[in-house]
Every structure is written in structure tokens, then in C-alpha cells.
Amino acid sequence: MHISDKNDIQESLEGDHDAYARLVRRYQSYITAIMWRFTRDKAQCEVIVQDVFVQAWLSLGSYDGRGSLANWLATIATRTGYRFWKDQARRRQEVNIYNQPELIDTENADEIAPERAADILHRLFRRLSPPERLVMTLMYFQNYTTKEIAKRVGWSNAAVKMRASRARKKLRKIAVRENVREEY
Amino acid sequence: MDSLKIIEKLAGIARREPAPKLDVSADVLRRITEIPSESVSLLPLDIFAGVSAFAASVIAFFSTGGWYYIMDPLSRLFVPIGEIPLW
């Protein structure tokens, strides 16, 4: 662990809010990059990044310092993002637009801009259930293995593999239905 | 091309996307100062635990006598046959 992290954690635990602000400023770009995979809306992203740091503040006493602080925060971020999706899915079901079709159109995949590619994938993964969406997001956006996903979200490796397999089947069907194909 | 291959390709490109620049430190500090302190939130729990402990000790006091009635029929099994009253 970084020496300045160690000092700031200790001072934060003693109630020093300025020390915690230093930690937030040090890790907010890293956490924003993770949370940006959970929402494409900047205002929503800002709120869930705040949620991560508030949750981290509440749990700071349980951080044992064995792993890196970045890893510990990333685990909180992943779980916060997952909760955000579950709430979103519940609200969508309430207003009955969960199955509304969305047009996904791809241009030549080599020339596509990173923002556009991320947007297409985000809209595509939104059709999946929150657990499947989480596995696909971590797998494709973060390049995680199933073992790493299992460790991060606290599921078994078999459960992650099963969800990945189901999600891929669904994605194949959606991609065919929504005309996601590359023009060569 | 297989749709999953396209997704993999798109993901490779999407990973290069920069995330927006945010500064949440002031808002986080505002939110954590609004969180009520632990001593206040734990008070109802302490009272509830105290009442539960008191109720449990009252029940334990009155049920101690019943324990002997539970033991009594079992101990009869080990009494020699000659000592058991037949009527």
C-alpha cells in the first residue's frame, strides 16, 4: 500500500475529513472510469461515484490493508454499480418499457469511434438481466477473466461461467434480431 | 462475421474511450458530514438488546423449576424394578 494512502486512511479513521478528501481526489479518476461502464449519463455517473466513496467511508474500518486500496475501492464500485442497475431494471419493469426495442446500428467496426463503440455495447448489454450484464461488462469492458469476476463480485466461478454463457446466447440472438453486423 | 466477434472488436475499441473528468470530493465530504453519528443510531438497538436480555432472564428464572419435571420421568427408567410402586 502507498505510504500516503496509509496515513490518509489512518487520519480518516480518526475523523479527519480533509484526509479522506485527499483519498477521494487520488482515486476519483480511477473510480469514474469504472462507473462510466455502468451509466453513460454524466450526472448519474457523478452520483454513483459519490455513492462509492460514501460507502467506502462507512466501510473504511474493515479495510485491512492486505490488498491495494485501488482494488478494494474497485470491488465497492462494482457492487455499487450492480445495485444501481438492479434498481434501474426494477424501475423499468414498473413502467413496462424493459422490452422496448432499440435500433442498434454498426458502421464498419474498424473505423468506429471509441465513444460510439462503447455506446453500442452499453445499449446491447442493457437488454440482459443485471447479473448477466455485470459479467459481460467486466469481461468485455474491463477485460477480466471469469475467476477475476468471481472474486470481485463474490460469486462462484461456476456461476460466473453459467451467466457468461447465457448472456452470450442472448447477445447472439439480440445481435441477429437487431441487425448488429459488420459491413465488409 | 460472428456477432460475438464483433462485440469483442467493439469492446476493444470501447476500452480506449476516456471517462469524463469529475471532481466529487466536495460532494462526498458534504454527504459524509450529513451521516448521523454511530452513537445516536445505535441507541435504539442498545435499548432493544437490554429489554430482550431482561425478558430472557425473567423467562429463565421461571423455567428453571420446569427443568426438574422434564428430568424426572427419565430418571425413573434407571430406578431398580423393586423400588417402582406398582399401584
Side-chain angles (χ1 to χ4, degrees):
Chain A
M1 188 174 32
H2 201 275
I3 193 78
S4 49
D5 281 354
K6 203 174 178 182
N7 293 339
D8 286 337
I9 289 168
Q10 192 50 47
E11 286 166 21
S12 300
L13 286 170
E14 287 161 9
D16 183 351
H17 288 181
D18 290 335
Y20 194 63
R22 284 196 295 275
L23 283 174
V24 173
R25 279 193 289 271
R26 201 171 299 140
Y27 288 100
Q28 61 185 355
S29 310
Y30 174 62
I31 296 301
T32 304
I34 295 174
M35 301 326 274
W36 190 236
R37 303 304 179 200
F38 288 88
T39 178
R40 308 282 299 160
D41 183 289
K42 203 176 165 186
Q44 275 182 342
C45 184
E46 194 166 346
V47 173
I48 57 175
V49 170
Q50 285 176 29
D51 289 345
V52 172
F53 285 109
V54 170
Q55 189 54 53
W57 165 264
L58 293 171
S59 316
L60 203 57
S62 68
Y63 174 61
D64 55 12
R66 275 187 291 182
S68 71
L69 185 65
N71 239 340
W72 185 73
L73 286 171
T75 303
I76 295 176
T78 306
R79 290 173 188 186
T80 304
Y82 181 55
R83 262 200 313 276
F84 167 74
W85 277 347
K86 285 212 302 198
D87 291 344
Q88 245 189 357
R90 207 167 29 241
R91 278 199 299 274
R92 270 207 297 271
Q93 274 172 341
E94 279 166 14
V95 293
N96 200 25
I97 60 161
Y98 192 67
N99 294 320
Q100 265 191 5
E102 268 180 75
L103 184 69
I104 295 170
D105 183 24
T106 57
E107 298 116 50
N108 190 325
D110 285 326
E111 294 166 9
I112 204 161
E115 291 79 9
R116 176 89 180 111
D119 197 48
I120 291 169
L121 286 186
H122 192 82
R123 282 191 290 150
L124 198 58
F125 291 170
R126 206 160 59 181
R127 312 296 184 77
L128 304 169
S129 67
E132 292 164 351
R133 188 180 179 185
L134 183 66
V135 171
M136 287 294 99
T137 298
L138 294 176
M139 203 172 258
Y140 284 107
F141 280 117
Q142 315 271 47
N143 225 0
Y144 281 3
T145 63
T146 52
K147 271 186 189 167
E148 286 168 331
I149 297 170
K151 199 177 168 192
R152 174 130 306 170
V153 297
W155 296 336
S156 68
N157 195 30
V160 173
K161 279 182 179 170
M162 186 192 69
R163 281 168 178 149
S165 161
R166 278 187 194 163
R168 283 198 182 108
K169 273 183 198 162
K170 276 190 195 174
L171 283 176
R172 256 202 197 102
K173 277 186 190 167
I174 294 166
V176 169
R177 202 175 58 220
E178 308 281 336
N179 203 22
V180 177
R181 63 169 186 270
E182 201 172 16
E183 306 288 341
Y184 283 108
Chain B
M1 192 188 230
D2 179 41
S3 50
L4 284 179
K5 291 263 181 219
I6 299 172
I7 289 170
E8 270 173 33
K9 204 168 184 177
L10 287 173
I13 299 166
R15 279 197 288 273
R16 298 202 300 263
E17 184 199 24
K21 297 270 173 237
L22 299 175
D23 186 3
V24 296
S25 55
D27 289 313
V28 170
L29 283 196
R30 183 184 46 77
R31 283 179 61 178
I32 62 175
T33 48
E34 284 170 4
I35 296 169
S37 66
E38 269 192 15
S39 57
V40 174
S41 64
L42 278 178
L43 192 63
L45 203 67
D46 291 344
I47 293 169
F48 181 73
V51 171
S52 300
F54 177 73
S57 58
V58 169
I59 297 293
F61 176 76
F62 286 110
S63 59
T64 324
W67 177 253
Y68 296 108
Y69 290 101
I70 295 168
M71 293 301 288
D72 217 17
L74 285 174
S75 60
R76 289 260 171 169
L77 290 174
F78 304 102
V79 173
I81 292 170
E83 288 180 22
I84 296 175
L86 295 173
W87 53 79

